[in-house]
Amino acid sequence: MNAPVPGIAERLSRMIQLPTVSAELHERGSAPFEDFVALIAELYPRVHAELTLERHTDFGLLFRWSGRRQAADGPLLLMAHYDVVPVDESDAWTHPPFAGVIENGFVYGRGALDDKGPLIVILEAVETLLAEGFTPARDVYLSFGGNEETFGSAAIAIADSLKERGIVPWLVVDEGGAVVDAPLPFVPGRAAMIGVGEKGVMTVTLTARGEGGHASAPPPLTAVRRIARAVERLGPGTFRPRTPRAISRMLTQLSGGASGPARLLLRTLGALPPVSAQVFAALGGEAAALVRTTVAPTMQSGGTAANVLPSRASATVNLRIALGETVQSATARVRRRIADPLVTVEVLEGSDPSPESPTDTAPFALIAEALAVSHPGIPAVPYVTMQATDSRHFHRFAPAVFRFAPLEMSNAQRGTIHGVDESVEIAALERGERFHRALIERLQ
């Protein structure tokens, strides 16, 4: 029989059991989302009673904890989202994805890492400090969105509301980075990867038309083949690699903790951005994604029967736009690479990359100080977040926006995000709560 589990695990389990799948809102309805809001009030009564709650759209929750200083000094804004991505029922999960099973020191289920685990450690820290009678130096806002996975209209509404009121956060902390093993293939040890910038995101549809008819006598270039050719032309080399300043800083900082040839290699790569861009591009995978805009075909359609030539075919392509580029420049590049005027390129949605937040500032120093409490000996290392987060909506007016969920995530665990057997270690949740508690306690 397993030993009794800590309360935080039981509370996260109950959150996971609510299937807040924003992409399936029409099928599931809004009840799981409203149940989640009610669950927060039940599990965190002090947060519910002592903080002011505003609802923005149907899915945005903004809690305000009044601090000792004037509100004009700028608050701390802690962000997370409570919606999750869908589950493919054909995938072989060890435990049902919405059961919230607690076993062998882990909590299993969709959202354990993305993003109910990072959300719960914020609430745990605030509830604990409230119980101790603590009042923060600055206002503290908790911004929780229920549709981050479907482009985050709740977070947009919250950001717009704060901006209209002239509230400029002193520090914004959202998901995006984590405490990881071997941050690069040739760098051993652990590091807390702090996202100081965020790649843009864009989804485009490629559409081609052709002669329909019977498949027994096809023309040389059908609509399907034209789309296939266009997709093939959008290979990994579509965009040139380029090393952002944040990655150069990451390499230089990692070199300080390395030894031998790895130390020299990291220092050299940090000092020579054109060289590091080529090296990372050659490594492929996450390393390549740090230095170039990525292009991922994700859906294709066309045709009504196996023996009928479709008159129309299409493909959906998802791009993650590197810092230094824009939606406009990326779209132009896609059209040039396809080089086919009969393929229509339509941008369905897109947002430019964020600027980089500086690290030689008091807000970043506070993150490093809190990390020293929760994860002693693990350095705070800047990098570029590759996925889109709700915090990108605050970068338009907030100068210090960082992406870091204070949880340990092994390479295998990171692979379960949006995948199968997502899980979080209970001990990691406890350390995450300590991080947020230290962050709030040390506000000046």
Side-chain angles (χ1 to χ4, degrees), residues 200-223:
V201 61
M202 180 170 76
T203 301
V204 301
T205 297
L206 314 179
T207 304
R209 293 191 175 274
E211 295 181 20
H214 201 282
S216 61
L221 195 59
T222 64

Side-chain angles (χ1 to χ4, degrees), residues 79-404:
M79 301 183 66
H81 65 90
Y82 58 95
D83 64 319
V84 299
V85 296
V87 173
D88 187 336
E89 298 297 337
S90 66
D91 289 336
W93 285 68
T94 303
H95 303 289
F98 294 110
V101 170
I102 303 169
E103 184 177 85
N104 298 325
F106 284 80
V107 184
Y108 291 84
R110 176 62 83 223
L113 291 174
D114 185 21
D115 190 41
K116 292 177 179 177
L119 184 149
I120 201 172
V121 297
I122 296 172
L123 288 169
E124 292 280 328
V126 174
E127 187 79 2
T128 298
L129 290 171
L130 288 171
E132 296 171 356
F134 179 82
T135 301
R138 298 171 180 264
D139 283 2
V140 176
Y141 283 85
L142 314 182
S143 174
F144 300 149
N147 52 17
E148 190 270 353
E149 301 290 1
T150 52
F151 310 124
S153 63
I156 293 173
I158 291 172
D160 288 346
S161 175
L162 292 182
K163 187 173 186 294
E164 288 169 5
R165 288 182 253 176
I167 299 171
V168 179
W170 180 76
L171 168 61
V172 178
V173 182
D174 194 10
E175 63 166 340
V179 178
V180 303
D181 295 319
L184 292 173
F186 45 85
V187 179
R190 293 194 297 168
M193 307 305 293
I194 314 293
V196 301
E198 177 177 313
K199 296 180 76 172
V201 61
M202 180 170 76
T203 301
V204 301
T205 297
L206 314 179
T207 304
R209 293 191 175 274
E211 295 181 20
H214 201 282
S216 61
L221 195 59
T222 64
V224 170
R225 290 192 65 188
R226 191 177 290 277
I227 285 297
R229 186 178 68 177
V231 170
E232 178 62 24
R233 288 175 176 174
L234 297 177
T238 299
F239 291 86
R240 298 183 183 91
R242 161 186 339 186
T243 300
R245 290 190 304 272
I247 300 305
S248 294
R249 284 183 286 168
M250 176 189 78
L251 293 165
T252 301
Q253 185 162 342
L254 288 173
S255 71
S259 59
R263 183 185 183 94
L264 178 60
L265 174 62
L266 289 167
R267 186 176 293 172
T268 301
L269 292 176
L272 300 172
V275 175
S276 61
Q278 295 299 325
V279 170
F280 277 48
L283 287 171
E286 286 190 357
L290 289 172
V291 297
R292 68 162 31 134
T293 295
T294 57
V295 185
T298 54
M299 295 187 290
Q300 295 185 75
S301 65
T304 57
N307 62 345
V308 176
L309 294 175
S311 59
R312 181 183 181 276
S314 67
T316 301
V317 181
N318 185 260
L319 293 88
R320 301 302 167 114
I321 305 172
L323 275 64
E325 298 177 15
T326 65
V327 169
Q328 184 177 5
S329 66
T331 304
R333 182 75 172 172
V334 166
R335 288 196 172 105
R336 287 198 302 272
R337 290 287 290 197
I338 292 174
D340 187 341
L342 297 181
V343 174
T344 301
V345 178
E346 179 186 2
V347 178
L348 298 182
E349 59 91 21
S351 61
D352 290 335
S354 76
E356 293 183 33
S357 294
T359 57
D360 56 346
T361 59
F364 189 84
L366 177 63
I367 291 175
E369 189 178 341
L371 187 67
V373 174
S374 60
H375 299 79
I378 295 179
V381 179
Y383 90 117
V384 174
T385 301
M386 289 174 280
Q387 67 269 31
T389 72
D390 275 343
S391 67
R392 70 187 186 277
H393 306 300
F394 291 86
H395 241 316
R396 292 175 288 128
F397 63 98
V401 179
F402 298 102
R403 299 150 189 87
F404 175 63

